[in-house]
Amino acid sequence: HDVIGPPGVAVEVDGKTALGPRPFEELPWPKPQSGDDGPPYAYAGRGAGGPAPGSVPSTGTARILVVVCNPTDLVPVNPTTVRQDVVDNFANVTTFYDQASYGQLSVPVDVTDFVALLEDSAYYHRANGAAGYPNIDAAVLNQLMAECAQGAVDQGFDLDDYVVMVAAVHLPGLGVRAWGGWSSSNFAYDDGAGTSINITTANPLGLIAQSHTADWGRSAHEFAHNVLDGGLVLGEDVYGSDLVDASEATAAPFAMMGNHDSHPLFSAFNMVQLGWYDSANVARRDWDRNPFSEEFDIVAHDLTQDASAARVHIVEIRITSGLSYFIEVRQRPDASVPNPAVFDENIPLGVGGDDGGVVVTKVVTETLNNNHQTRLITLLQEPRRLLGTGESAEDPLRTIRISVVDDSVQ
């Protein structure tokens, strides 16, 4: 038998006693995905789920369930007001996708009342660590989503009515990025002390974990991880925060998968990938080393898709099967009109403060052999702003020049 006592564990066998060299320490119950010693958290058939890029169709209806929840030590003083802020935040997400898709993707959102979580904020939040922090602790994501699923079901929500579930955790004063782009059809947790959750849905739910104060751009960005399928090699994100050299993320100001909190539209590549432009509005040319010159009339994304046969929204120059250049026009919205666009209000202005101009991006979707980090989408042009009349983007290796002839055509 074992006897707990200083300075360590004493083991007595047949009248003989041996004393361990270290004191006995009773460890707390480990977090479910931490990998620390302790009993397993498991149910038969249960899996943690995995990344689910492209699992939500880009057209039709994609209903989101947002579960507002709070740790034991951060109960909101006015839960009604906090919940309404979350409702208003996701109303912008709905509007963004309606406008960006020309009404082809409807994203209705339901928001629960507050769900009381089992543990305190120190349990769910991690202040620092590897890339991605400060954030909700990845070690508790399965537990968190299980608690949210149970809380939603207890309030009468049917999880099978939704394609994405969001845990909006009340963490005032704490830095939180977010997690998104994974999925699960089973939500299970057992703390060994009376709490047992085991809920299975008919289809996997895309999952997001974020702060209750997350900007709507963050929410739209995380939702997009379940709609986009990135490139063949590189992921969908084009921001700089996880790069050794953040300056490599040159297209971030023009991409929802980049600087999402400044509310840009998706980049041209993602817009084509999502299928929201009619085929007639995407002009494609293959580079074949032979000299050629051609002019295009390109129009910016407005609230209605352009119907003129003489104009397009996007020009793609396909260099190889895994490398293309995309040309588009971007325009800050006119805030003076009723119901203006909610996107692109903060894109970098052109020379002289022009609020509209050309953006040329380079997109890599196959193997890229280099010795530094990069992104799927980067700017081909040198200025990290809108290009205006007389300016150009160049590929000297292939002697390609993309010039802006006139940026004032209406």
Side-chain angles (χ1 to χ4, degrees), residues 174-393:
L174 297 175
V176 177
R177 288 182 60 177
W179 299 106
W182 88 105
S183 66
S184 183
S185 58
N186 183 255
F187 302 92
Y189 173 70
D190 192 320
D191 65 1
T195 297
S196 181
I197 301 170
N198 190 15
I199 298 171
T200 299
T201 56
N203 297 294
L205 289 177
L207 300 175
I208 299 170
Q210 63 175 53
S211 166
H212 72 293
T213 57
D215 186 273
W216 73 259
R218 164 65 80 177
S219 304
H221 169 99
E222 299 300 341
F223 174 76
H225 279 301
N226 290 290
V227 184
L228 292 168
D229 198 8
L232 298 181
V233 175
L234 301 172
E236 304 94 45
D237 285 326
V238 299
Y239 49 65
S241 57
D242 293 334
L243 297 178
V244 173
D245 182 2
S247 66
E248 287 284 329
T250 55
F254 299 99
M256 174 52 72
M257 303 315 291
N259 293 351
H260 42 72
D261 283 7
S262 64
H263 311 145
L265 186 65
F266 288 106
S267 70
F269 169 72
N270 288 148
M271 288 295 294
V272 171
Q273 185 185 42
L274 289 162
W276 292 337
Y277 287 130
D278 294 339
S279 58
N281 269 319
V282 181
R284 290 184 169 91
R285 299 293 185 268
D286 291 320
W287 177 75
D288 61 4
R289 298 180 177 84
N290 294 314
F292 78 97
S293 179
E294 188 172 359
E295 288 190 12
F296 295 91
D297 193 352
I298 305 174
V299 62
H301 187 301
D302 203 350
L303 298 185
T304 57
Q305 189 165 184
D306 189 72
S308 170
R311 303 191 298 194
V312 297
H313 282 296
I314 301 290
V315 175
E316 178 187 2
I317 302 176
R318 292 182 290 205
I319 307 301
T320 68
S321 60
L323 174 64
S324 288
Y325 299 147
F326 284 83
I327 311 166
E328 61 179 324
V329 170
R330 301 289 284 272
Q331 175 82 42
R332 286 194 179 189
D334 183 354
S336 66
V337 303
N339 303 315
V342 297
F343 56 81
D344 277 358
E345 75 267 30
N346 296 307
I347 56 174
L349 298 172
V351 174
D354 285 351
D355 60 4
V358 173
V359 176
V360 185
T361 47
K362 177 174 70 174
V363 180
V364 177
T365 58
E366 289 187 354
T367 302
L368 181 64
N369 295 311
N370 64 19
N371 60 359
H372 65 277
Q373 292 178 305
T374 189
R375 289 303 196 191
L376 163 73
I377 303 166
T378 54
L379 290 180
L380 179 64
Q381 65 208 50
E382 184 62 31
R384 300 187 180 186
R385 54 166 173 75
L386 297 170
L387 296 180
T389 302
E391 295 188 298
S392 62

